[in-house]
């Protein structure tokens, strides 16, 4: 069996996530301690005890989700006595989850990942004035129609407006991002074109669109100053939807990811084409494994973000 480890993105956060991991496994507790030290604050207290509205802030949610994912990865390694590269064939992360994948595969130092994600969250929030951007989700739509809707929405207003595909999540789920007026038009256009469901999302900024260019510049400068090693397991990148191992290429792809589309559907299809049959989601929630079958019938999903699930999964490995 070929296996890929996947790491969730923003939206999977919940107060108390990772707390059982920290209590059950010293290696997991160490991850949270190292993130706290890197950020100079007790992010772990916020993760474990809330409040949710503070945890959900982009600058907190991003490093928090990474910490939980890496803690789960280290716990799995501790229980099995094997590293991820010995347990699977690929890793992939949704948006910020790509940093989790790189930290879990030891391409990126944990402390660097925490600081980069704190910076990434702030830079993305500051790139567009509050209220000027928006995102919407469309359900039951194919990528070609989504492109048509986005293009029509961008062209339908006064002046140059942005409406880009931010996420192609698979299973007919596509997210658009850009100027608020353009995204609102996209919802109306999608409804008129018979899209099953189209709704505005409660987000604080229009992620993964060209409006995020200032944030990409910030991340480009920051990433140029950190050490990035070859990952122990190939990482399927959001931007290329291909397995990547070259540090220089991975660095550039992380910059492009800020404004680029998360090609999750294509990434998972690529994994299946390489013979992967099991996706194992490490961290908070089970969104990505829930999408697995809807993307490709060859894929089965398993979410292991708590001690009981990790122990049960490890037992299946013999």
């Amino acid at each position: 069996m070929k296996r890929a480890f996947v790491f969730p993105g923003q939206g999977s956060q919940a107060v108390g996530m990772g707390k059982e991991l920290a209590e059950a496994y010293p290696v997991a507790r160490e991850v949270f301690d190292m993130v706290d030290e890197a950020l100079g604050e007790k992010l772990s207290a916020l993760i474990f005890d809330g409040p949710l509205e503070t945890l959900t802030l982009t600058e907190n949610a991003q490093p928090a989700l990474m910490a939980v994912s890496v803690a789960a990865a280290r716990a799995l390694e501790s229980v099995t006595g094997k590293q991820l590269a010995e347990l699977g064939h690929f890793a992939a992360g949704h948006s910020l989850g790509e940093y989790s994948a790189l930290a879990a595969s030891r391409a990126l130092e944990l402390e660097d990942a925490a600081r980069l994600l704190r910076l990434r969250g702030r830079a993305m929030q500051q790139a567009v004035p509050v209220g000027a951007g928006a995102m919407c989700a469309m359900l039951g739509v194919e990528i070609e129609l989504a492109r048509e809707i986005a293009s029509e929405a961008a062209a339908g207003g006064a002046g140059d407006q942005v409406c880009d595909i931010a996420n192609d999540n698979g299973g007919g789920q596509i997210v658009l991002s850009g100027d608020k007026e353009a995204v609102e038009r996209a919802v109306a256009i999608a409804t008129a074109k018979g899209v099953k469901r189209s709704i505005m999302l409660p987000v604080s900024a229009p992620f993964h669109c060209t409006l995020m260019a200032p944030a990409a510049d910030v991340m480009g400068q920051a990433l140029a100053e950190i050490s990035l090693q070859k990952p122990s397991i190939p990482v399927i990148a959001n931007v290329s939807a291909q397995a990547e191992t070259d540090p220089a290429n991975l660095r550039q792809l992380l910059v492009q990811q800020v404004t680029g589309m998360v090609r999750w559907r294509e990434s998972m299809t690529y994994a299946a084409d390489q013979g992967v049959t099991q996706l194992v989601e490490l961290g908070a929630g089970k969104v990505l494994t829930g999408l697995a079958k809807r993307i490709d019938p060859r894929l089965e999903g398993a979410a292991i973000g708590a001690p009981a699930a990790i122990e049960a999964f490890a037992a299946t490995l013999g």
Side-chain angles (χ1 to χ4, degrees):
M1 173 191 291
K2 278 195 174 183
R3 182 179 296 117
F5 293 103
V6 294
F7 298 84
Q10 203 161 333
S12 293
Q13 67 272 3
V15 172
M17 62 181 185
K19 189 172 184 178
E20 290 183 37
L21 291 173
E23 293 171 346
Y25 306 108
V27 289
R29 177 71 255 183
E30 184 180 8
V31 168
F32 291 109
D33 290 343
M34 292 172 71
V35 169
D36 285 349
E37 185 175 352
L39 298 180
E41 64 181 73
K42 280 283 187 179
L43 183 66
S44 60
L46 178 61
I47 297 170
F48 300 154
D49 303 316
L52 179 61
E53 56 267 27
T54 306
L55 176 61
T56 301
L57 293 174
T58 301
E59 65 182 66
N60 293 327
Q62 295 199 20
L65 284 161
M66 182 278 298
V68 175
S69 283
V70 176
R74 296 291 180 261
L76 177 62
E77 291 177 333
S78 175
V79 170
T80 62
K82 297 179 180 179
Q83 292 197 357
L84 289 189
E86 300 174 88
L87 297 170
H89 297 78
F90 298 97
H94 193 284
S95 191
L96 79 88
E98 193 158 294
Y99 286 80
S100 305
L102 291 168
S105 63
R106 295 174 171 80
L108 191 58
E109 294 290 341
L110 179 63
E111 297 91 338
D112 286 335
R115 287 187 287 261
L116 284 168
L117 285 172
R118 169 57 57 82
L119 177 65
R120 183 178 184 265
R122 287 177 175 168
M124 293 173 85
Q125 187 63 64
Q126 294 168 0
V128 179
V130 174
M135 301 179 76
C136 75
M138 299 186 297
L139 305 178
V141 63
E142 297 302 320
I143 189 71
E144 293 79 10
L145 179 57
R147 288 196 181 100
E148 180 183 318
I149 292 168
S151 178
E152 189 174 331
D160 294 328
Q161 291 191 336
V162 170
C163 187
D164 296 335
I165 297 177
N167 303 345
D168 177 9
N169 290 329
Q173 182 188 120
I174 291 178
V175 177
L176 303 183
S177 180
D179 289 294
K180 185 178 180 182
E181 290 182 7
V183 175
E184 288 175 339
R185 276 195 301 275
V187 170
I189 293 167
T191 300
K193 290 183 180 291
V195 172
K196 182 178 178 181
R197 190 179 181 202
S198 185
I199 56 171
M200 299 296 289
L201 295 176
V203 296
S204 57
F207 306 124
H208 296 291
C209 74
T210 52
L211 295 178
M212 288 286 110
D217 291 340
V218 170
M219 294 311 297
Q221 294 174 18
L223 283 159
E225 297 173 0
I226 60 97
S227 174
L228 194 62
Q229 306 299 319
K230 181 178 179 180
S232 62
I233 183 172
V235 174
I236 303 171
N238 288 182
V239 172
S240 67
Q242 301 282 322
E244 308 285 353
T245 58
D246 178 66
N249 198 31
L250 284 164
R251 192 190 307 271
Q252 187 56 38
L253 289 168
L254 286 175
V255 178
Q256 294 174 15
Q257 188 216 65
V258 178
T259 57
M261 177 173 68
V262 177
R263 297 168 60 187
W264 192 253
R265 174 182 58 83
E266 294 173 86
S267 296
M268 295 302 96
T269 299
Y270 170 85
D273 287 344
Q274 303 308 304
V276 170
T277 56
Q278 185 181 49
L279 297 183
V280 178
E281 188 165 2
L282 288 166
K286 50 185 178 182
V287 172
L288 301 180
T289 49
L291 283 169
K293 273 290 187 186
R294 295 168 60 190
I295 293 174
D296 196 302
R298 294 172 289 180
L299 298 172
E300 293 282 353
I304 54 171
I310 288 173
E311 300 287 344
F313 177 76
T316 67
L317 301 177

